[in-house]
Amino acid sequence: MSTKSLPVPDHAPRLREALLSAAFTADGLLDLLGAPAYAALARSETVPALRATRGAGALEALVRLFLLQCAVPQEQARKALPLEECLADGWVTRDGDDVRATVDVRPYGGPEGQDWFIVSDLGCAVGGAGGASGQGEGVVLGVGGASTTLAGITIRTPVAAALDLGTGSGIQALHAAQHATRVTATDLNPRALHFTRLTLALSGAREADLREGSLFEPVGSDTYDLIVSNPPFVISPGARLTYRDGGMGGDDLCRSLVQQAGDRLNDGGHAQFLANWQHVEGEEWQDRLRSWVPPGCDAWIVQREVQDVTQYVELWLRDSGDHRTDPARYAARYDAWLDEFEARRTKSVGFGWITLRKSGAERPSIVAEEWPHPVEQPLGDTVRAHFARQDYLRARDDAALLADHFVLAEEIMQEQVGMPGAEDPEHVVLRQNRGMRRATKVDTVGAGFAGACDGSLSAGQILDAIAQLLGEDPVLLRDRTPGALRLLIEEGFLEPAPR
C-alpha cells in the first residue's frame, strides 16, 4: 500500500488548532456522545454515535468525518476545519458537494492531560467506524489495548535516547517524545512511518528520527536508554498481515527481539516489549523465556494470559475477518494453523510483558511469573521499582539485611481471615491496593514484623522483640526469617527506610 495518497503535515498546526477549538478531544467526545455511545464506539458500533451527532455543530462534523468516516457537507466542514488547507494537504477529499476523510484521526488523552491525536488508516482505529477486521496487507492500525498496555508499563524517567521499534501509528514514539531528548522510530512498513509523522505533527510533538527496516537493522550499532516495542507478535503460518504477523517461525521474532536488545542498550537502560510465546510440550514456559534474556541483563517477565491453540487461532482469524469469508477457506486456514502448532509441539500460547534492564550484573535477576490478575496502570514506576529492589537485594547478605531498617510500602492493607467468632485468625494476608495489587499470606511472625516496620528499629531488633513475645529462640528466628523477608521486599510490600 503506497504512501502517495496519504496526507502531508504541512499545515498540521492549523488543523490541530481547529480540532481543539471544536473540543474534538477525548473529554469532548465523552461529553458529546455520552457514556453509552462512547463505549459502543469503542466496540466499533457506530449507530449510537451517529444518533448523537445529528446536529450541525463543528464537533459533530469532526466526529462524523474522522471517526465515523461519513461524508460531511462542505459548508459544515468549512465551519469545523481550515478546509482548503486540509484539501490541499490531503486530510480530506471532495465527494461531490461533500467531503470525506482520507485517514482516521482519533483523540487520545496523554498521561498529564495532553490532547493528542492518533492518525491511522480509515476504519482501523479502535473506536473507529469499522475496526481492523478485513483490512489488508500493510494496513496501519490506531490505538488498541496492546498499545495502551505498553504505554502504561513503560518507565517514564527522563532519558537521552529512546527507540520505538515497530512504531505503527506512532503512539509509543509520541509518549517517548515527552521524556526523551532524542526519539528514533522504526518500522518495516513505510506507511507506518508516514502515519507516525502525522501523529506527532498533529499532536504538537517534535519530529522523530524515522527509519525503515526490520527489527534492529535500521539503527545499526546505535544504542539507547529506552527501547519499546509492540511488535507483530502473532504466531502464525506465514506473514499475511504486516501489522500483526512476525513472518518468522513460531515465536522466533519475539525471541530475536529480546536477544538482540542487550547490545542496543546503554548501561542502566531498559527495553520493554509485549510478546507472545509458545508453550511447548515437555518444556516449562519460564525456562523457555529465561533462555531469551541476553547476558548482562536483568529481566522481569510477566505472563498475563494463556490461550489453547484453538482459542488462539480463532481469535486471530476473526481479527482478520476470515470468519466472514468463504467457509471452506476459513476451515483451510484454521487447519493450516493447527498443523503449524502441531509440528512445533505447541499446546498453548502465552501473552505478556518482557522488561530488560542492562545491569551488567554477574548474577542477573531473571523473574518469570504468571500474573493474570487485575493491575493498576500506569505501572512504569512499579517496573522501575522492581529493578531497584533487585539491586538492593543482590547487594546484601542476610546479616546486612537484618541490620537494615524498613517501612511498609504505601497502601498496604492487612486482612485477617478466619471463622466468625474465632479468637485467632486462620491466617493473615497483606494486600497491595496499587501497582501489581499483590496479596501474600504471612504467619504470626510475618504479620508482627510488617506491623512494626516504621523505620525506627532494624529488622534484627524487630525479630528479637517478636521472639521475646512468642517465647522463641531469637537466634533461630533470625536464622529462618531472611528468606521470607527477601520475598516481602522483592514483591514490594516492604521498602528500605529513608536514611
Side-chain angles (χ1 to χ4, degrees):
M1 298 176 72
S2 171
T3 63
K4 292 181 180 178
S5 60
L6 294 177
V8 294
D10 294 357
H11 300 93
R14 284 264 291 146
L15 175 55
R16 173 177 171 78
E17 183 181 338
L19 299 179
L20 295 177
S21 177
F24 187 64
T25 63
D27 290 341
L29 287 184
L30 182 59
D31 289 343
L32 173 68
L33 302 179
Y38 190 83
L41 190 59
R43 302 189 299 270
S44 297
E45 295 291 345
T46 60
V47 172
L50 286 167
R51 292 172 61 88
T53 56
R54 287 185 277 197
L59 181 55
E60 287 89 345
L62 293 172
V63 172
R64 283 181 166 254
L65 192 63
F66 288 118
L67 282 186
L68 303 178
Q69 281 104 56
C70 296
V72 172
Q74 286 193 47
E75 289 311 307
Q76 187 180 7
R78 194 180 303 279
K79 296 176 183 178
L81 296 168
L83 184 58
E84 298 307 320
E85 292 173 358
C86 289
L87 287 165
D89 288 354
W91 294 94
V92 297
T93 185
R94 284 193 174 92
D95 181 9
D97 292 333
D98 298 331
V99 295
R100 291 184 177 275
T102 61
V103 290
D104 192 310
V105 177
R106 181 188 180 188
Y108 177 79
E112 297 178 358
Q114 303 99 323
D115 289 313
W116 291 340
F117 301 95
I118 309 299
V119 188
S120 64
D121 271 311
L122 287 172
C124 293
V126 175
S133 295
Q135 300 296 335
E137 170 74 18
V139 69
V140 178
L141 301 188
V143 179
S147 302
T148 55
T149 293
L150 179 59
I153 68 172
T154 299
I155 297 169
R156 297 297 175 194
T157 52
V159 295
L163 170 64
D164 175 14
L165 193 151
T167 186
S169 56
I171 178 175
Q172 309 305 331
L174 179 56
H175 276 278
Q178 312 308 304
H179 63 101
T181 303
R182 176 172 57 89
V183 176
T184 301
T186 71
D187 207 289
L188 182 64
N189 182 1
R191 285 175 61 82
L193 298 176
H194 195 94
F195 275 112
T196 294
R197 181 178 290 110
L198 296 175
T199 289
L200 294 173
L202 199 55
S203 298
R206 65 179 181 278
E207 294 184 3
D209 178 8
L210 305 177
R211 304 187 191 184
E212 182 181 344
S214 177
L215 298 179
F216 289 103
E217 181 272 329
V219 301
S221 60
D222 292 353
T223 57
Y224 300 88
D225 306 299
L226 174 67
I227 299 171
V228 294
S229 183
N230 175 18
F233 53 65
V234 176
I235 301 170
S236 61
R240 191 159 58 100
L241 299 173
T242 303
Y243 73 85
R244 68 166 207 195
D245 299 323
M248 296 185 184
D251 51 20
D252 284 356
L253 182 137
C254 291
R255 175 184 56 79
S256 297
L257 190 61
V258 173
Q259 289 180 335
Q260 295 174 21
D263 291 336
R264 295 343 191 270
L265 281 175
N266 294 323
D267 291 343
H270 296 85
Q272 299 188 256
F273 312 110
L274 301 186
N276 276 182
W277 45 80
Q278 299 168 120
H279 285 218
V280 178
E281 292 179 7
E283 185 178 0
E284 294 295 329
W285 73 267
Q286 294 95 332
D287 293 337
R288 180 181 184 83
L289 272 291
R290 288 189 187 103
S291 73
W292 293 5
V293 178
C297 287
D298 296 335
W300 187 18
I301 301 161
V302 181
Q303 180 166 273
R304 295 288 289 157
E305 183 180 0
V306 180
Q307 290 186 323
D308 68 50
V309 292
T310 59
Q311 292 174 309
Y312 190 80
V313 172
E314 291 162 14
L315 169 67
W316 294 110
L317 285 175
R318 283 175 169 77
D319 169 81
S320 56
D322 287 299
H323 61 300
R324 299 195 185 108
T325 63
D326 175 48
R329 182 183 301 174
Y330 173 84
R333 284 180 170 162
Y334 199 145
D335 200 39
W337 218 319
L338 292 182
D339 282 344
E340 176 85 1
F341 282 136
E342 185 176 334
R344 295 181 176 276
R345 298 184 297 114
T346 302
K347 57 184 180 179
S348 54
V349 177
F351 167 82
W353 323 322
I354 299 175
T355 301
L356 306 177
R357 196 275 300 265
K358 191 162 186 178
S359 64
E362 293 182 9
R363 295 180 295 113
S365 165
I366 303 177
V367 177
E369 63 175 323
E370 187 162 11
W371 192 255
H373 312 294
V375 299
E376 182 179 294
Q377 288 274 34
L379 280 170
D381 286 344
T382 299
V383 175
R384 179 185 52 76
H386 167 88
F387 290 102
R389 292 194 296 269
Q390 302 307 313
D391 284 344
Y392 172 83
L393 291 169
R394 188 160 41 206
R396 282 163 176 78
D397 60 17
D398 288 353
L401 201 65
L402 292 177
D404 277 353
H405 296 232
F406 298 94
V407 294
L408 205 60
E410 290 185 4
E411 298 198 36
I412 301 293
M413 302 297 292
Q414 178 177 299
E415 301 174 359
Q416 295 185 345
V417 181
M419 296 296 294
E423 184 174 344
D424 297 312
E426 292 179 15
H427 58 265
V428 176
V429 173
L430 300 180
R431 187 179 302 277
Q432 300 170 351
N433 285 332
R434 301 185 66 181
M436 295 294 285
R437 293 182 173 173
R438 298 186 189 275
T440 188
K441 187 163 63 174
V442 294
D443 59 13
T444 302
V445 172
F449 186 91
C453 281
D454 61 3
S456 60
L457 298 175
S458 71
Q461 289 171 327
I462 294 174
L463 289 176
D464 291 345
I466 292 174
Q468 185 175 1
L469 287 172
L470 299 179
E472 292 197 28
D473 184 333
V475 175
L476 293 178
L477 187 59
R478 279 177 174 251
D479 285 345
R480 67 179 172 86
T481 302
L485 177 55
R486 286 183 182 277
L487 185 61
L488 288 175
I489 297 168
E490 182 175 333
E491 294 190 341
F493 291 95
L494 294 178
E495 299 174 348
R499 297 190 177 186

